[in-house]
Amino acid sequence: MPRPSRWSEIVAAASEEFRDRGYENATLESIGARVGILKGSIYNYVASKEELLLAVVEEPARQLLAELERLRTASGRTVTVRLRELIRMQVRIFADCHPAAFVYLQHLGRMPSPRFAEFREMDEQYMDALEALLAEGVRTGEFALPGAPRTAAYVVVGTLGWMQHWFVPRGPEADRALADQLFAHVLGGLVAGSGMLGISRSFDSDDDL
């Protein structure tokens, strides 16, 4: 009988190895050691370390983009509610695909290989969809941004992306509570950002004192 595939174990081990040591320092030998197989045996599954990185990042990237597009085009729901669902969804993907999702964030922009061009395009699609969602919130009167929707989109992405440095999954209930805390922080800036900008500018007169 054929031996059972260990592909899922290898991808999971690669996720951990890339997260712990970085792509440059990770080796197929060290990845194989994590699952108890020799380096040569990995070549039965994958041709190169780059191919493994592609396998690691593909699932969280596709999940995130598909969910974002679904929320962006959802009818009958306010932008505020859809943004909350986006943040909840992203935290859930971070948990479900941990640490592969963070490997994606860490290495996407650093890989010059043409094979990663699709993921860079997906990243742009994500930014465009988020920008469109925030711009819709301005049109509906839900948000009062201090600047361009694109800038606000970068702030949201930065808030969520920084989770790679501190987030550890704690279970669905705790992760959802955390997502709602992040949403509250983000929403405060989106709703009151324009007024806060006016307050910030009022400090300029104090600088001369």
Side-chain angles (χ1 to χ4, degrees), residues 34-54:
R34 285 180 180 257
V35 293
I37 62 177
L38 298 176
K39 174 183 175 181
S41 299
I42 292 186
Y43 288 109
N44 294 324
Y45 297 90
V46 66
S48 66
K49 187 171 67 170
E50 180 182 84
E51 190 172 320
L52 255 184
L53 181 59
L54 283 166

Side-chain angles (χ1 to χ4, degrees), residues 107-159:
H107 295 287
L108 175 64
R110 302 180 185 178
M111 301 301 297
S113 169
R115 301 181 68 184
F116 284 83
E118 179 184 7
F119 294 98
R120 287 190 285 272
E121 291 173 4
M122 291 168 65
D123 193 52
E124 280 301 312
Q125 292 175 41
Y126 177 94
M127 289 301 306
D128 290 344
L130 180 55
E131 179 184 8
L133 183 66
L134 298 180
E136 181 184 346
V138 174
R139 292 194 299 272
T140 61
E142 296 173 62
F143 301 154
L145 305 183
R150 188 73 172 193
T151 303
Y154 284 132
V155 172
V156 175
V157 169
T159 299

